[in-house]
């Protein structure tokens, strides 16, 4: 057993580069009582990790220089000093970007029992789904979609729901839950292939490619939201009741003028701003909220931790019933983890971006 780990070498300026990471050999740690040694199978790379790469206050402490990057992992227990797990169990939890990690048993969740193919995440997912769903549709992104849309967005039948970042892990789950709730769904994503998937595979009613609609405006003048606004007017004949925002910036600027009375704006993510070094300047949202008696609310998924079992159960039932689908983009090779993370900012992924480190 040879361990390797990926350390945070330097704080990025703008888009992160491979120079910001360092891959080094390390010892395989020994578990103490109540701990397990876990062999990494899959690593989740997530946009919020960019926030941890800058100094200063956020909802999660920043990475220190030299620290091992950490995120969600699915792995196999190879040694257990806890009665909760035995070797061969597949578990998920927060771990360092390492081939082998030691973790406290109480912080881990069983995805599959030793010797079985897949008994399902938390024992509730359909046996046919991959263990990687613990990092996607049945994990943090799926729960983010579920609670953000249903608790804050509160979509009602017949309403129009607009989703930015619609072809990502959170976004495509939001689109489908909104369809389950009987809404007209408009998805905004960055490629025609992604939009084709949203429309043809997931039943999203209308789709907008924000990269192509904005081009004429960028060349033609300062109003870069113009092309988006026109596309949204066409896609939303009854305007917008719920806006689930994963990206922020110019895409979101264009949605604000179309809000309906009593609209709800769910601030889930602002990925278009994560690599900026200075605060972005855009239209002020207050007048749109005021005249429409609209709500804009941000949230962090961990706020909902006590209700996670409810969310996983419902998502798993929808999966089993064929009402919910998921897509994953899987990059192979531990060393490719930083590049997979960087690729999130150019939209390399359809659905959940995962790195495969080893076979189960
Ligand atoms: N509030 C919470 O607790 C919480 C939890 C999880 C995630 N989030 C947030 O939710 C959002 C989605 O997360 P995810 O994990 O599902 O990631 P994801 O959507 O699977 O991946 C990121 C996607 O963002 C799009 N993107 C990248 N740069 C962009 C830009 N400049 N403008 C517009 N779109 C851009 C890309 O798709 P295109 O090809 O469409 O550009 C890319 O595929 C992120 O903002 C994330 O920070 C929040």
């Amino acid at each position: 057993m040879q361990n390797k780990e990926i350390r945070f070498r330097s704080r990025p300026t703008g888009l992160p580069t491979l120079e910001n990471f360092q891959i080094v050999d390390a010892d395989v740690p020994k578990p103490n009582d109540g701990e397990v040694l876990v062999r990494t199978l899959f690593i989740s790379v997530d946009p919020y990790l960019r926030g941890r790469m800058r100094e200063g206050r956020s909802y999660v402490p920043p990475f220190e220089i030299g620290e091992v990057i950490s995120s969600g992992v699915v792995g196999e227990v190879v040694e257990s000093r806890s009665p909760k797990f035995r070797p061969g169990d597949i578990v998920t939890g927060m771990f360092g970007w390492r081939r082998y990690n030691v973790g406290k048993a109480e912080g881990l969740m069983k995805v599959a029992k030793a010797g079985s193919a897949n008994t399902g995440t938390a024992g509730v997912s359909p046996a046919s789904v991959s263990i990687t769903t613990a990092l996607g549709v049945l994990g943090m992104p799926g729960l983010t979609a579920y609670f953000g849309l249903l608790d804050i967005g509160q979509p009602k039948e017949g309403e129009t729901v607009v989703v930015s970042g619609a072809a990502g892990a959170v976004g495509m789950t939001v689109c489908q839950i909104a369809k389950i709730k009987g809404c007209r769904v408009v998805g905004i994503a960055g490629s025609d292939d992604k939009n084709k998937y949203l429309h043809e595979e997931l039943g999203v009613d209308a789709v907008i490619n924000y990269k192509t609609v904005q081009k004429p405006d960028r060349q033609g003048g300062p109003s870069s939201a113009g092309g988006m606004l026109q596309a949204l007017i066409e896609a939303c004949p009854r305007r917008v009741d719920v806006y689930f925002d994963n990206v922020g910036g110019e895409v979101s600027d264009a949605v604000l003028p179309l809000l309906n009375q009593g609209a709800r704006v769910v601030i889930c993510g602002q990925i278009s701003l994560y690599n900026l070094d200075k605060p972005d300047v855009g239209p002020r949202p207050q007048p749109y909220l005021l005249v429409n008696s609209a709500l804009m609310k941000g949230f962090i998924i961990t706020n909902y931790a006590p209700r996670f079992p409810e969310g996983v159960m419902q998502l798993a039932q929808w999966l089993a019933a064929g009402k919910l689908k998921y897509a994953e983009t899987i990059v192979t090779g531990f060393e490719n983890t930083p590049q997979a993370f960087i690729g999130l900012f150019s939209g390399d992924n359809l659905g959940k971006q995962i790195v495969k480190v080893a076979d189960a």
Side-chain angles (χ1 to χ4, degrees):
M1 290 195 295
Q2 172 61 57
N3 207 359
K4 274 189 189 295
E5 62 188 32
I6 301 176
R7 295 181 188 160
F8 183 46
R9 178 153 54 185
S10 56
R11 299 202 185 281
T13 309
L15 181 69
T17 67
L18 294 178
E19 295 297 305
N20 302 128
F21 302 89
Q22 186 182 23
I23 304 177
V24 294
D25 289 339
D27 294 332
V28 176
K30 281 258 157 228
N32 291 317
D33 283 348
E35 293 181 335
V36 289
L37 175 65
V38 175
R39 183 169 71 100
T40 302
L41 303 177
F42 297 98
I43 295 175
S44 168
V45 291
D46 301 273
Y48 81 92
L49 295 172
R50 178 65 180 87
R52 297 195 65 188
M53 292 175 185
R54 66 176 80 241
E55 271 179 315
R57 185 178 166 270
S58 178
Y59 60 93
V60 205
F63 291 121
E64 298 297 334
I65 301 298
E67 189 180 345
V68 176
I69 309 275
S70 53
S71 64
V73 160
V74 165
E76 180 182 354
V77 174
V78 288
E79 187 181 340
S80 177
R81 296 194 56 185
S82 157
K84 211 177 149 191
F85 298 109
R86 59 189 178 105
D89 283 346
I90 305 293
V91 295
T92 187
M94 292 294 291
F95 275 122
W97 287 3
R98 293 190 184 92
R99 286 185 176 277
Y100 291 90
N101 279 285
V102 157
K104 292 201 183 314
E106 68 210 27
L108 303 176
M109 197 172 72
K110 198 175 289 181
V111 177
K113 282 189 196 132
S116 69
N118 176 19
T119 56
T121 301
V124 294
S125 76
S128 58
V129 304
S130 155
I131 55 174
T132 50
T133 53
L135 302 176
V137 66
L138 294 176
M140 189 268 283
L143 291 165
T144 301
Y146 178 85
F147 289 110
L149 180 66
L150 297 183
D151 206 59
I152 303 172
Q154 302 197 2
K156 293 169 196 63
E157 195 173 346
E159 287 190 330
T160 298
V161 177
V162 174
V163 184
S164 62
V170 174
M172 70 168 56
T173 312
V174 172
C175 288
Q176 295 178 84
I177 298 174
K179 286 305 297 174
I180 291 169
K181 296 293 168 185
C183 299
R184 173 177 175 78
V185 179
V186 177
I188 305 170
S191 84
D192 291 342
D193 283 346
K194 289 183 180 186
N195 280 342
K196 190 166 185 270
Y197 176 85
L198 290 173
H199 182 57
E200 293 181 3
E201 297 292 325
L202 305 186
V204 171
D205 298 282
V207 286
I208 298 170
N209 180 340
Y210 74 91
K211 287 186 178 162
T212 51
V213 290
Q214 286 193 348
K215 264 187 193 144
D217 301 302
R218 286 221 176 99
Q219 288 157 358
S223 170
S224 56
M228 266 305 296
L229 179 60
Q230 194 50 44
L232 280 162
I233 289 170
E234 285 161 25
C236 307
R238 295 195 299 275
R239 299 168 68 96
V240 179
D241 300 293
V242 178
Y243 175 45
F244 194 103
D245 187 11
N246 283 312
V247 311
E250 291 172 349
V251 168
S252 300
D253 293 348
V255 181
L256 291 174
L258 294 178
L259 295 182
N260 271 329
Q261 281 292 315
R264 287 82 66 201
V265 179
V266 186
I267 306 296
C268 174
Q270 301 281 290
I271 193 168
S272 74
L273 312 181
Y274 292 173
N275 290 318
L276 300 183
D277 290 324
K278 291 189 185 136
D280 190 42
V281 180
R284 297 193 166 104
Q286 290 91 334
Y288 301 105
L289 303 179
L290 174 68
V291 297
N292 295 303
S293 304
L295 171 86
M296 181 182 271
K297 189 175 188 304
F299 75 105
I300 299 300
I301 186 53
T302 45
N303 299 349
Y304 290 95
R307 291 177 59 194
F308 281 178
E310 166 206 327
V312 174
M313 190 70 75
Q314 179 60 84
L315 291 163
Q317 281 172 5
W318 282 331
L319 267 181
K323 293 180 177 175
L324 187 60
K325 296 182 183 173
Y326 63 95
E328 297 171 334
T329 301
I330 299 187
V331 163
T332 301
F334 177 73
E335 283 78 3
N336 293 323
T337 309
Q339 186 54 53
F341 165 70
I342 294 166
L344 291 170
F345 298 96
S346 45
D348 291 358
N349 58 308
L350 173 72
K352 178 64 202 155
Q353 180 67 63
I354 290 169
V355 179
K356 180 176 177 180
V357 174
D359 286 316

